Amino acid sequence: KPHMDVSQWDGLQGVDNPNEKPFYHIRPDINDCIRQFGGPRTWRYVCQDNLEPYDLKHGRIELEMELDEEEWGWDNENGWFAPSEEIRFMHAEDVGDNEEAIVETIQKLKDIISDCFLSVQGNGSITGLYSLDDLFCLLNSVGKLEDAITVQDMIKEVFKEFPDSSLRKQLDAGISELIEGNTKQALET
């Protein structure tokens, strides 16, 4: 759904209930824009009802932007720019044959990081790490705001860690709701 009231937008006058429809950020084909509007356009926020499939007989889509060829390659068969495996991974997309190994590795990393945070609290299995007292001393001695913010964020992450990972997920979900201004949902989470 759109993030704003779009019911009065010119291009949506023939669309029923546009505020209830899916919207997408798109980069239109330059040649289509020149044909339709007399010049190129950058990204647009478009209602799903106004989208049309790209006809592959026109060849590769021409965009008003530079794409890193290592990150985005043109897929002739499907007629789109396909993201690299790295981009798909960064945005939690299906990464094909490696997905199971990647998910397993990320879970192991999360467990290690959790154990580090719990160890700083004094409840984990790793020795020789900073203690919370060390982090507070470090926070007290930093000279720049940027450094203080980094240490403060680390302390917050340590305090948010629980041996039961579902509690951390619940806390993070509640914080997200609070940031979005959904106080009631945050308290119920």
Side-chain angles (χ1 to χ4, degrees):
K1 293 182 182 180
H3 296 285
M4 63 196 86
D5 180 9
V6 297
S7 59
Q8 300 304 311
W9 286 13
D10 289 341
L12 298 174
Q13 296 309 306
V15 175
D16 292 331
N17 299 318
N19 288 321
E20 300 300 316
K21 303 287 177 137
F23 272 69
Y24 302 92
H25 287 96
I26 64 150
R27 295 227 178 237
D29 179 69
I30 293 173
N31 299 317
D32 281 350
C33 290
I34 291 170
R35 247 186 330 277
Q36 296 293 321
F37 308 111
R41 294 190 170 188
T42 57
W43 72 273
R44 289 289 177 252
Y45 195 51
V46 180
C47 179
Q48 180 172 301
D49 288 14
N50 287 341
L51 294 176
E52 296 177 7
Y54 183 75
D55 190 342
L56 293 176
K57 72 179 179 188
H58 298 300
R60 180 180 164 147
I61 294 172
E62 297 297 324
L63 300 176
E64 179 89 345
M65 65 182 284
E66 293 292 322
L67 286 178
D68 183 334
E69 295 291 330
E70 290 183 24
E71 292 181 355
W72 296 91
W74 179 252
D75 180 340
N76 282 321
E77 184 178 326
N78 294 306
W80 61 42
F81 286 96
S84 66
E85 187 171 298
E86 182 178 350
I87 295 291
R88 290 193 320 267
F89 173 74
M90 288 171 48
H91 297 278
E93 295 288 325
D94 177 11
V95 290
D97 297 339
N98 299 328
E99 185 164 4
E100 189 175 318
I102 290 170
V103 169
E104 184 179 318
T105 301
I106 289 173
Q107 185 57 53
K108 285 180 183 176
L109 286 171
K110 285 172 65 177
D111 292 345
I112 291 168
I113 291 168
S114 175
D115 195 24
C116 287
F117 288 158
L118 291 170
S119 295
V120 171
Q121 291 176 6
N123 299 318
S125 65
I126 302 172
T127 58
L129 295 177
Y130 284 103
S131 67
L132 277 172
D133 288 339
D134 294 332
L135 290 174
F136 282 117
C137 287
L138 182 61
L139 180 60
N140 191 41
S141 67
V142 296
K144 296 188 312 188
L145 178 62
E146 181 179 313
D147 295 337
I149 290 171
T150 301
V151 175
Q152 178 182 316
D153 286 346
M154 176 64 154
I155 291 169
K156 281 194 281 187
E157 291 303 313
V158 168
F159 272 116
K160 289 185 336 185
E161 195 59 46
F162 296 94
D164 178 355
S165 64
S166 67
L167 291 174
R168 171 65 186 256
K169 288 178 187 171
Q170 219 174 341
L171 178 62
D172 285 340
I175 290 170
S176 293
E177 291 290 349
L178 197 56
I179 289 170
E180 300 259 332
N182 303 324
T183 308
K184 186 177 178 183
Q185 290 91 331
L187 293 173
E188 291 171 357
T189 303

